[in-house]
Amino acid sequence: MAGPDSILVDFNHPVMVGKENEYMAQAIAAAKFSGDGSFTRKVSALLEQQLGIPKVLLTTSCTHALEMFALLMDIQPGDEVIVPSYTFVSTINAFVLRGARPVFIDIRSDTLNLDESRLEELITPATKAILPVHYAGVGCEMDAILTIASQHHVAVAEDNAHGLYGKYKGRFLGTFGVLAAQSFHETKNFTCGEGGALLINNPALVERAEIIREKGTNRSRFFRGQVDKYTWMDVGSSYLPSDLLAAFLYAQLEQREKIQAHRKKVWNFYHEHLHDWAFSHAVQLPCIPVYCDQAYHMYYMLLPTLALRQGLISHLRQRGIESVFHYLPLHLSEMGRRFGGKIGDCPVTEHVSDQLIRLPFHNSLSEDDLEKVVKAVLEFNFQIA
Ligand SMILES: Cc1ncc(COP(=O)(O)O)c(C=O)c1O
């Protein structure tokens, strides 16, 4: 049996899947190491065409795309933003940086997406935005969210870090909100190590987004020959990634079919082989509504108790299998409590955060790896934990 330190199956293991080396070499040969070179343009054009949206701007991370949301929405101190407590810190930190007050919403117990039935009670005259996070790449209830938002004149912007190529009722995630953010971090389906994208669904925001991304200047227009010099136009920062990273990412995106087919196989393997075991041990497996095409980003399970979840993580570690949990409820974090968060505000989030375990999920898992993981899970002794 493997000791606790010898990992046989990694939780995540980023790999090259196509022409990453070749395209990086081309980017180097082109002597354009900074941002917005030919590979950046290729990635943007590809995503715009595939998703059918007006503008995609590559960013240095999803976090930075979210920071651009807050700048583009003119978030001011005191503005309220509704965000699930069950998400990564960047979803809301980007807004708190501009002085916004987070208003934490609980999640649904089936998809773990924000509970749209709680939205109306949280909207106030200070609400500026609602931030749906498509958890695990499964679409939030966008029909209800968009209806409520438009009744109250509140903007919707999507954190789609997990959900590239996922769909809700036949329409790509990331195309519903006025803005959406993607992540190309190494834990995502498609990666360049660290990277992200801002998806702009309202063409009126494109020009200002380009300025914010380029240090508050109109350098993008200058490079396109639309102005003869560039200057300081607005607030902004440096949110554009090197073209070397875009070259790597383009090679990954070219392999969309291969990557997604592999991830679908991984997801289905876990789901089929763990179904009966889960049923007989009161373990909740992911729920994918029939009208959602998921993005195959992760495989999670909800154990009945915290002790069982922790027990399963250490049982798997003993067998050389890395598994992880996340997210800690944001409303109960040190920062969340400063905004008034307290136990009981988001009961489903608090419960799920104790129960959830994520199994190894990446682009180089072999059938042998999957068999090892499933065998180890099935051997977990519920009596001991
Ligand atoms: C829901 C969500 N939003 C945002 C992020 C931040 O992504 P990035 O690391 O690209 O900034 C993550 C990271 O995993 C995430 O899970």
Side-chain angles (χ1 to χ4, degrees), residues 73-369:
M73 289 175 164
D74 273 325
I75 295 294
Q76 300 296 322
D79 287 345
E80 292 177 5
V81 175
I82 300 179
V83 64
S85 175
Y86 195 67
T87 184
F88 192 73
V89 61
S90 298
T91 317
I92 189 60
N93 212 14
F95 288 79
V96 170
L97 268 171
R98 313 246 58 85
R101 201 176 83 75
V103 174
F104 295 108
I105 187 167
D106 208 356
I107 48 170
R108 299 168 57 105
S109 57
D110 52 3
T111 56
L112 316 188
N113 280 328
L114 74 75
D115 182 351
E116 66 286 351
S117 72
R118 307 287 308 275
L119 264 179
E120 283 205 277
E121 69 198 67
L122 297 176
I123 294 175
T124 74
T127 308
K128 246 334 207 353
I130 299 169
L131 302 176
V133 177
H134 303 298
Y135 182 70
V138 178
C140 294
E141 292 300 326
M142 293 313 297
D143 282 350
I145 293 168
L146 291 173
T147 303
I148 295 166
S150 81
Q151 280 163 357
H152 294 271
H153 309 289
V154 174
V156 173
E158 305 164 71
D159 181 338
N160 196 31
H162 301 177
L164 184 59
Y165 303 127
K167 288 181 178 173
Y168 168 82
K169 299 190 178 173
R171 187 168 149 192
F172 281 115
L173 303 180
T175 65
F176 292 88
V178 59
L179 298 165
Q182 300 297 150
S183 174
F184 299 116
H185 182 260
E186 70 167 29
T187 49
K188 302 304 184 291
N189 299 24
F190 305 88
T191 186
C192 56
E194 299 277 0
L198 177 73
L199 277 47
I200 305 174
N201 292 308
N202 177 355
L205 295 176
V206 172
E207 189 174 342
R208 184 154 187 249
E210 286 184 341
I211 289 170
I212 288 171
R213 179 171 167 270
E214 264 283 23
K215 296 94 178 165
T217 73
N218 56 348
R219 188 151 73 168
S220 298
R221 300 199 78 203
F222 173 70
F223 282 144
R224 287 196 296 266
Q226 293 165 321
V227 286
D228 59 5
K229 55 187 177 307
Y230 72 88
T231 185
W232 187 18
M233 306 287 288
D234 202 334
V235 293
S237 191
S238 186
Y239 291 128
L240 67 169
S242 161
D243 213 48
L244 299 179
L245 291 178
F248 194 100
L249 181 60
Y250 189 66
Q252 294 251 317
L253 292 172
E254 268 190 341
Q255 299 300 322
R256 169 184 169 186
E257 302 297 334
K258 181 170 139 192
I259 289 177
Q260 292 302 81
H262 174 75
R263 298 184 77 99
K264 182 176 179 181
K265 246 171 69 184
V266 170
W267 198 95
N268 286 338
F269 190 96
Y270 284 143
H271 208 58
E272 281 157 24
H273 289 83
L274 296 173
H275 189 270
D276 293 350
W277 166 86
F279 186 74
S280 56
H281 292 91
V283 171
Q284 183 180 323
L285 298 185
C287 159
I288 318 294
V290 287
Y291 44 81
C292 288
D293 296 323
Q294 62 153 319
Y296 298 103
H297 174 55
M298 70 166 88
Y299 198 85
Y300 68 82
M301 310 189 290
L302 300 181
L303 273 289
T305 64
L306 173 64
L308 284 166
R309 194 272 303 275
Q310 295 304 91
L312 180 55
I313 289 176
S314 60
H315 164 86
L316 293 176
R317 195 184 310 119
Q318 286 299 316
R319 280 154 185 76
I321 293 162
E322 221 180 4
S323 61
V324 301
F325 66 88
H326 76 171
Y327 300 108
L328 295 177
L330 287 178
H331 69 286
L332 298 180
S333 63
E334 198 166 319
M335 192 68 176
R337 283 179 192 269
R338 276 192 241 160
F339 287 105
K342 55 186 184 319
I343 290 174
D345 285 353
C346 299
V348 181
T349 300
E350 291 164 29
H351 204 48
V352 162
S353 171
D354 283 348
Q355 297 175 286
L356 188 132
I357 177 172
R358 294 172 64 187
L359 296 180
F361 207 117
H362 55 80
N363 294 341
S364 62
L365 277 174
S366 65
E367 192 130 340
D368 185 49
D369 294 331

Side-chain angles (χ1 to χ4, degrees), residues 363-381:
N363 294 341
S364 62
L365 277 174
S366 65
E367 192 130 340
D368 185 49
D369 294 331
L370 293 173
E371 275 163 13
K372 279 198 189 86
V373 177
V374 165
K375 182 167 180 291
V377 171
L378 297 181
E379 284 170 2
F380 178 53
N381 184 346

